[in-house]
Amino acid sequence: MTAFKTLDDLGDLTGKVALVRVDLNVPMSDGDVTDDTRIRAFKPTVDELSSKGAKVLLLGHFGRPKGEKNSTMSLSMVTGEVEEVLGREVMFIPEIAGDIVSQSLGIMRDGEVGILENSRFWPGEEANDVDFAKAIAANGDLYVNDAFSAAHRAHATTEGLAHLLPAYAGRAMEAELKALSIALDNPVHPVAAVVGGAKVSSKLDVLQHLVTKVDHLIIGGGMANTFLAARGVDVGKSLCEHDLTGTAEAIMDKADESGCTVHLPYDVVVAKEFKANTPSRTVNVHEVEADDMILDLGSAAAESLGDVLKNCRTLVWNGPLGAFETPPFDEATVALAKTAAALTQDGSLTSVAGGGDTVAALAHAGVTKDFSYISTAGGAFLEWMKGKDLPGVAALRG
Ligand code: ADP
Ligand code: MG
């Protein structure tokens, strides 16, 4: 991996304007930001640029306004929360380029912070239009990308700008790339991957790539049902993509060729209906009845998977092992997460996880702080797990 520049490569920035792409696509309810994780993530980068003397202009998108101004998706709505997290005043600028922006810069002092309007209000953003990017770049001296979560998109503010101004990875981006690189580019073997979640179809490319990279592939969640069906198991009423059993077989064959061991559960938790605290049984996979639904891996499977992790040095995890939102179908996910967390704390395992529901599942297991790294980037994390070079990251390498 060719190196990218970081804030370490920057000296005094007095009189300069830094255009900083961040993730402002924060969860909101009734006009309030309900989770400020993404804002806290870019604070170190903003603080550092500001203390070097730069005027800092934040760029970001919110929602899907489809290239048109839409007052319900204005970034003015998040400005108050950004001020609170940064602990300073922030100027909201209702444009992204042109005179309004340059005039605002005229009244900002060195070290001050502004937020430009939602980049997706302009069609040039998603089209990665060069003229649009040039108009934004005209008000800046350097570009910093601190939004790994948007780096799988080749948009003007995530990719185009990097070609027009000196470009740097922000601190959050840098930390994310380092953690991910340790886990898959150059990992210490043996490497285990846990892939769970609802459907094989949403993660086909991930599975195809991982079998060539890892020593152990642990399959859980609804997608394990498709693999079990491919092995001739009758999965009853379980979520299962019967049309993909051939694909599942091909993945297992490819794993064999690559020396990757695929782990499927031999016991599972089943119920007659999918609701909280409904009667459930733990059964061997060959004992699933026609009206049963598999909703979690069994305790024996969870324990033996824990033993697999004990012999591994690196773990990459995406996707819960069961329908963890609905108790008691969270037990296998919680058990394996706790094992991984303990091994990480003992220093024998480097553990990296990501994915929207995975982050929630690991938080539910109470292990968020005990993993080596948990990525909050959903789509970008999955692209990375497919082995794809993300356009926003590639552009930083120049
Ligand atoms: P992520 O967002 O981390 O990539 P996914 O979206 O692929 O994960 O999958 C998460 C969903 O999969 C959860 O909502 C969970 O309830 C569901 N799930 C896991 N196991 C099963 C199962 N056996 N049957 C039905 N749904 C399942
Ligand atoms: Mg999901």
Side-chain angles (χ1 to χ4, degrees):
M1 175 160 102
T2 331
F4 43 84
K5 284 187 262 176
T6 70
L7 303 192
D8 292 335
D9 297 295
L10 289 168
D12 179 41
L13 295 173
T14 307
K16 304 267 199 249
V17 176
L19 293 166
V20 186
R21 181 53 156 98
V22 294
D23 190 348
L24 290 168
N25 198 28
V26 291
M28 309 248 330
S29 164
D30 294 334
D32 286 325
V33 176
T34 52
D35 180 353
D36 64 1
T37 310
R38 290 177 162 173
I39 301 174
R40 281 187 283 114
F42 64 72
K43 179 175 167 29
T45 294
V46 172
D47 286 349
E48 201 169 330
L49 291 166
S50 164
S51 67
K52 287 180 193 284
K55 293 179 188 176
V56 179
L57 292 184
L58 302 179
L59 289 158
H61 76 270
F62 183 85
R64 297 179 186 276
K66 304 215 165 93
E68 280 172 32
K69 293 198 180 181
N70 180 331
S71 60
T72 66
M73 298 182 204
S74 171
L75 285 178
S76 61
M77 296 184 309
V78 307
T79 306
E81 190 71 25
V82 173
E83 288 188 316
E84 200 151 305
V85 172
L86 294 182
R88 59 163 84 223
E89 263 179 54
V90 173
M91 179 193 278
F92 173 71
I93 303 169
E95 285 293 331
I96 197 164
D99 292 345
I100 304 274
V101 178
S102 53
Q103 283 159 16
S104 303
L105 283 167
I107 55 173
M108 278 170 68
R109 278 170 304 197
D110 291 338
E112 288 189 343
V113 181
I115 298 184
L116 299 175
E117 183 57 287
N118 189 346
S119 59
R120 290 193 184 169
F121 280 6
W122 291 272
E125 167 69 340
E126 290 178 73
N128 200 2
D129 179 69
V130 181
D131 292 325
F132 177 63
K134 279 185 179 161
I136 301 171
N139 284 312
D141 298 291
L142 62 140
Y143 168 73
V144 177
N145 192 344
D146 214 21
F148 175 82
S149 54
H152 57 311
R153 311 221 183 268
H155 293 171
T157 65
T158 62
E159 202 268 350
L161 280 175
H163 300 294
L164 301 171
L165 292 170
Y168 304 84
R171 293 303 182 197
M173 172 74 93
E174 182 188 350
E176 183 107 24
L177 292 176
K178 279 189 183 150
L180 298 190
S181 160
I182 287 168
L184 269 193
D185 293 342
N186 220 339
V188 184
H189 287 267
V191 182
V194 172
V195 183
K199 290 185 172 175
V200 172
S201 53
S202 65
K203 292 181 186 172
L204 271 183
D205 297 345
V206 171
L207 295 164
Q208 305 266 19
H209 178 63
L210 286 177
V211 292
T212 67
K213 284 278 192 179
V214 305
D215 307 290
H216 296 275
L217 177 63
I218 293 170
I219 299 181
M223 66 170 66
N225 303 338
T226 303
F227 280 82
L228 289 170
R231 290 244 167 116
V233 170
D234 185 348
V235 298
K237 277 199 306 171
S238 307
L239 175 64
C240 177
E241 292 168 287
H242 291 282
D243 53 325
L244 286 180
T245 51
T247 309
E249 265 175 283
I251 290 170
M252 290 190 279
D253 289 344
K254 194 170 169 189
D256 264 349
E257 286 161 28
S258 317
C260 167
T261 308
V262 176
H263 299 266
L264 293 177
Y266 38 80
D267 67 338
V268 288
V269 180
V270 296
K272 302 292 181 197
E273 45 181 356
F274 185 14
K275 65 174 200 202
N277 305 314
T278 193
S280 62
R281 298 152 22 238
T282 300
V283 298
N284 181 283
V285 292
H286 296 291
E287 294 165 359
V288 176
E289 292 171 4
D291 59 347
D292 275 336
M293 266 180 287
I294 302 173
L295 292 166
D296 197 11
L297 305 193
S299 49
E303 196 171 327
S304 83
L305 295 174
D307 289 338
V308 172
L309 298 190
K310 281 178 192 141
N311 292 313
C312 286
R313 302 294 309 279
T314 307
L315 166 67
V316 190
W317 185 332
N318 169 260
L321 300 182
F324 76 97
E325 302 93 335
T326 313
F329 309 113
D330 57 342
E331 285 177 8
T333 304
V334 169
L336 195 64
K338 286 193 167 151
T339 302
L343 293 169
T344 306
Q345 292 307 305
D346 289 347
S348 72
L349 188 71
T350 298
S351 52
V352 172
D357 294 297
T358 310
V359 173
L362 296 180
H364 170 71
V367 300
T368 302
K369 291 205 180 70
D370 298 329
F371 267 53
S372 309
Y373 192 81
I374 295 184
S375 171
T376 55
F381 183 83
L382 275 179
E383 285 300 296
W384 168 79
M385 270 188 112
K386 294 176 193 166
K388 299 264 168 71
D389 204 9
L390 311 185
V393 176
L396 289 179
R397 292 194 211 109

